[in-house]
Amino acid sequence: MAELVFFSGTMDCGKSTLALQMDHNHRARGRGGVRFSRNDRAGESRISSRLGLETDAVEVLDGTDFWEEVMRRRTHGQRVDYLICDEAQFYTPEQVEQLAKVVDEIDVDVFAFGITADFRTRLFPGSQRLIELADRVQVLQVEALCWCGRRATHNARTVDGVMVTEGAQVVVGDVDMAADGTAAGDAGHVPVVGYETLCRRHFMRRVTAHGANLMAEQDQLLPFDVDACLWHGSGGPAAGT
């Protein structure tokens, strides 16, 4: 029986690595499949892992119809037994429903990989629909770590190392946008947008590795845990107050 399986976790937990490994294992057993991805860090039509593994894939666009993609390939004689769907959090709810239809109507396995929640801890629409429809949801066992060493449970967006909780839900590989979404002037500083995995404790406190490092540089030994974003030197909300 074919299944729709959603493999989920934070950044750095090995989702794309597992996607490539599963594709390899199925192909090694003579099965035919198609790899899909969207907004991969390596660029369009790629699946890449932070370990350095990379291969080609079909880029998913807003207009991509998975049912048509599979039927077109089968009509032309291509064997399609399974689909690898990386960065599935960026798929539309309608596309997730198409994947479920592929599983139910023509017995094609679908293995989807993606982040569940965004930098605001809000579910991505694609991930939400996958949780609602998947036969199985598997949280990956490879634990991403917060800068403090605890298990990371949240994805944080940073601008110049300082955590932000507002902005567009999807910002991929773009370091030329200011925190409010407008381009920085040529004469001004260009903010660097990045992502970081944090434990819940430090996500709620907005303590990034940048803020913690700034505090450590002061060589201040305090008998309690201080919220780095409330420290005037961290660049956080209290900076300058």
Side-chain angles (χ1 to χ4, degrees), residues 77-182:
Q78 181 177 345
R79 182 171 180 175
V80 180
D81 301 308
Y82 68 92
L83 304 181
I84 298 291
C85 297
D86 200 24
E87 306 294 352
Q89 70 272 11
F90 298 136
Y91 299 3
T92 67
E94 293 75 19
Q95 288 171 331
V96 174
E97 293 171 8
Q98 294 161 11
L99 292 173
K101 181 180 179 181
V102 165
V103 173
D104 295 338
E105 301 298 332
I106 52 178
D107 210 33
V108 171
D109 283 309
V110 174
F111 306 111
F113 304 80
I115 297 169
T116 304
D118 64 16
F119 70 104
R120 302 165 300 182
T121 68
R122 302 291 189 268
L123 290 174
F124 283 98
S127 298
Q128 178 178 335
R129 198 65 179 129
L130 277 164
I131 292 171
E132 294 166 347
L133 294 181
D135 297 296
R136 287 188 290 127
V137 177
Q138 291 192 201
V139 178
L140 298 192
Q141 297 303 307
V142 177
E143 295 185 352
L145 298 179
C146 177
W147 59 264
C148 69
R150 295 185 181 91
R151 177 174 176 266
T153 55
H154 293 73
N155 303 302
R157 180 183 294 172
T158 62
V159 177
D160 290 340
V162 177
M163 180 175 158
V164 296
T165 58
E166 296 181 356
Q169 185 177 53
V170 180
V171 177
V172 180
D174 190 349
V175 297
D176 296 324
M177 303 298 288
D180 61 358
T182 60

